[in-house]
Amino acid sequence: MNVTTPASGSTDRRAATIVMACLGVFVAYLPITTVAVSLPAIQRALSTSTAQLSWVQDAFVLPMAAFILTAGVFGDVHGRKKVFQAGLFFSAVGAAVALCAHNIETLWAGQALAGLGSAALLPTTLALISHAVPDFRERGKFIGMWAMALLAALAVGPVIAGVILDHYSWRWIYLLSIPLSLVAMAVAAPLLTDSRAPHGRKLDWPGQITAAVAVTALVYGVIEGGADSFTTPKVVAALALGVVALIAFVVAEKRSASPMLDLAVFRSAAFTATALIALITFLGLIGFFFVLSLYFGMVQQLGTLEAGARLLLVPVAAIVAGAPAGRLMHRVPARWMITVGLLLIAGPLLAMTNLDTDTSYGSIAWRLIVLGVGLGLVTTPMTATAVAAVPHHLAGMASAANNAFRQVGGALGPAVLGALLSTRAVHTLPGHLADAGVTGTQAETIVATAKDGGLGAVAGMNLGSTAGQVYGALGDSLLDGMRLCLIVAAVLVLIAAGCAVTLLRRPKQAAGGAAKGAGTAQHGRPDASAENAQAAGTAQPVGHRRG
């Protein structure tokens, strides 16, 4: 009895840790899709401009991308349980502020606080799982559960928002996050097993400050440049500041005795590959969802719930396909799982370039399902590979870095593809207006309005008897822009597939000296590949058999 009781208690605590980690990532990602499909209702209620509305989503994503690395270090130094609890607290407070918002500035503040909460939750949840399940073979299954919780949040968000918007005010979309966060905080306090990085890690203030400035300035510059022009002084200044801060970050990390992001981890081809794949894939995919939501709303004229139900197909298919992905990782090399998944994403993106105004739901559905299956095959092995590619005690840093690349890509996606869509649509709008019989001064006014305020601003004009013709021309122009965006997104995903094939290879190590010289990197820190050389079966394409 004395032997089994501690083992049972340890198992219970591990189970509680995994459940809390999955709930944490669910809370972190829930605001993304609930807010995305609610933007039209928010715009009507708060009478915002298109530029102000774009910052509702960006106010959440920007602090998330900027402070993920910082949160990972705080967890490593002060304890991941504390940072996990802080993340839940900020998520609840941010949701409460947004729930009570009566102007756009207050809503931005609530979104920013929730984004800080998500920045704290994403790296700590993965690091908690890594600490609770040190066996890399078994860990893949639980990282798969974590990935499914992430996708579940993306799946239920549009449905929750659709139901609420059909019956209540937009602000109630924030209600669910508050009790979820508070209940998770209460349950985690006695049950969650804490962990922190050994080897005396310290806070790296120069690295944290320069990283936050670099990410914020670069993302801000791209967002504002896409909305206005990349030649405006504020955009040029922001991009220049971002580049300078990025160089300063690299210099600071090379000189730091305890860097926030140990640049030695990029010696691992597997870690570098997953970082690039996360950045490129999410840039294309999140931008695609942004464009597709415009297609459902502005071209097919669907309501929030109907559009949400269609978008739901992608994460649901990803959950179904991703459920066995953790187990398959020990039989199928991660290199090929990720590559096949990315190809399954790129195919439907290209297939959707022939969508039209009257394309049926069934015709769209199969493409979205295949895309979701590809996403499910990519998410789990990509995340598990990033964590397994570095020494065990740097799991928090690895998960934070992988999520940071993912969120930067997610922040840039709508900005980049949105700018492409708007530019292409406005360029082709005069021709479509002429084809519809709208010419002269009215056509010039419509085109000028679209250039200044976006295509959505045209809907607020007094169009008189030509409204039907103008809306038809707008839909055709939007389709032109959407097709360009789909091609760009598919090309980005194919580039990510190329990174997977090229970089996710078996590490070349001699049998007798696999880890020779790999035990330490610069400043005496462990190299990214040393501790997990034997774990390459999970992180790299060698299956589970090793010499």
Side-chain angles (χ1 to χ4, degrees):
M1 294 294 293
N2 292 335
V3 176
T4 58
T5 299
S8 176
S10 176
T11 301
D12 291 343
R13 280 188 170 271
R14 187 179 79 163
T17 299
I18 292 166
V19 170
M20 288 296 100
C22 291
L23 183 57
V25 75
F26 183 89
V27 170
Y29 265 80
L30 185 61
I32 293 178
T33 49
T34 52
V35 174
V37 299
S38 305
L39 290 177
I42 293 172
Q43 185 174 34
R44 290 192 297 269
L46 299 181
S47 301
T48 64
S49 66
T50 303
Q52 289 176 319
L53 189 69
S54 68
W55 274 103
V56 173
Q57 194 93 26
D58 295 329
F60 176 86
V61 174
L62 197 55
M64 186 197 296
F67 293 103
I68 277 180
L69 285 172
T70 301
V73 175
F74 266 83
D76 289 344
V77 174
H78 295 295
R80 288 142 187 167
K81 180 177 178 178
K82 295 184 181 68
V83 177
F84 177 82
Q85 295 280 58
L88 292 171
F89 174 77
F90 277 110
S91 295
V93 171
V97 171
L99 178 65
C100 300
H102 291 283
N103 56 62
I104 193 65
E105 291 79 12
T106 306
L107 183 58
W108 289 343
Q111 285 282 91
L113 288 171
L116 285 174
S118 296
L121 289 170
L122 289 173
T124 52
T125 49
L126 268 178
L128 286 168
I129 290 177
S130 181
H131 179 266
V133 190
D135 184 350
F136 71 90
R137 294 187 186 88
E138 190 180 11
R139 190 192 308 157
K141 175 177 66 176
F142 296 111
I143 289 180
M145 294 171 59
W146 178 92
M148 293 309 101
L150 183 157
L151 293 171
L154 296 179
V156 303
V159 177
I160 292 173
V163 172
I164 290 174
L165 292 174
D166 278 353
H167 299 89
Y168 308 101
S169 168
W170 63 269
R171 64 184 69 254
W172 296 108
I173 63 173
Y174 290 99
L175 180 62
L176 182 60
S177 295
I178 300 174
L180 277 179
S181 300
L182 296 178
V183 169
M185 287 178 65
V187 173
L191 295 180
L192 190 63
T193 301
D194 199 6
S195 66
R196 65 186 69 197
H199 306 289
R201 287 203 76 193
K202 298 179 181 179
L203 295 178
D204 172 28
W205 288 111
Q208 291 166 50
I209 293 172
T210 53
V213 172
V215 172
T216 302
L218 289 173
V219 174
Y220 173 85
V222 172
I223 291 172
E224 287 296 300
D228 188 5
S229 171
F230 284 96
T231 59
T232 57
K234 66 177 181 180
V235 172
V236 173
L239 294 177
L241 176 62
V243 172
V244 171
L246 185 60
I247 295 172
F249 171 74
V250 173
V251 173
E253 296 309 273
K254 284 186 174 181
R255 295 180 176 180
S256 175
S258 181
M260 177 174 68
L261 178 59
D262 190 344
L263 300 181
V265 299
F266 289 100
R267 297 176 184 174
S268 166
F271 181 84
T272 303
T274 56
L276 290 173
I277 292 168
L279 174 68
I280 297 170
T281 303
F282 272 72
L283 194 158
L285 274 182
I286 301 301
F288 157 73
F289 282 121
F290 172 78
V291 171
L292 193 65
S293 65
L294 292 179
Y295 167 75
F296 286 140
M298 296 182 66
V299 177
Q300 292 203 325
Q301 301 291 313
L302 299 178
T304 304
L305 186 56
E306 291 177 293
R310 284 159 172 73
L311 291 172
L312 182 65
L313 290 174
V314 176
V316 167
I319 291 172
V320 173
R327 294 187 295 272
L328 284 174
M329 284 173 56
H330 309 307
R331 299 181 178 87
V332 180
R335 175 190 183 189
W336 299 119
M337 283 186 65
I338 294 173
T339 302
V340 170
L342 291 171
L343 292 177
L344 287 176
I345 293 172
L349 289 175
L350 292 173
M352 278 187 276
T353 56
N354 66 356
L355 293 185
D356 209 336
T357 306
D358 301 322
T359 302
S360 67
Y361 173 59
S363 180
I364 299 175
W366 73 264
R367 309 174 209 212
L368 296 179
I369 291 171
V370 173
L371 190 150
V373 170
L375 181 61
L377 290 178
V378 169
T379 304
T380 299
M382 179 178 69
T383 305
T385 299
V387 174
V390 302
H392 181 64
H393 69 278
L394 295 180
M397 183 189 69
S399 62
N402 189 262
N403 276 297
F405 280 103
R406 184 182 302 174
Q407 294 309 319
V408 169
L412 294 177
V416 173
L417 295 192
L420 287 174
L421 182 145
S422 179
T423 301
R424 176 64 176 166
V426 171
H427 177 73
T428 61
L429 181 57
H432 289 300
L433 286 172
D435 292 341
V438 181
T439 57
T441 304
Q442 186 184 23
E444 294 174 358
T445 303
I446 291 171
V447 173
T449 301
K451 286 182 178 179
D452 294 336
L455 296 178
V458 179
M461 297 176 60
N462 182 12
L463 300 173
S465 60
T466 62
Q469 297 161 275
V470 173
Y471 290 149
L474 284 175
D476 291 337
S477 299
L478 188 66
L479 283 172
D480 290 336
M482 186 186 75
R483 291 178 183 122
L484 175 62
C485 290
L486 289 170
I487 293 172
V488 171
V491 170
L492 289 171
V493 173
L494 290 174
I495 292 173
C499 291
V501 172
T502 304
L503 297 177
L504 289 179
R505 294 179 177 274
R506 181 174 182 170
K508 297 178 181 179
Q509 294 179 345
K516 184 179 180 180
T520 57
Q522 55 181 352
H523 307 297
R525 294 184 300 276
D527 195 328
S529 61
E531 186 172 328
N532 287 299
Q534 290 186 334
T538 299
Q540 315 245 3
V542 294
H544 65 287
R545 295 186 294 274
R546 300 178 304 278

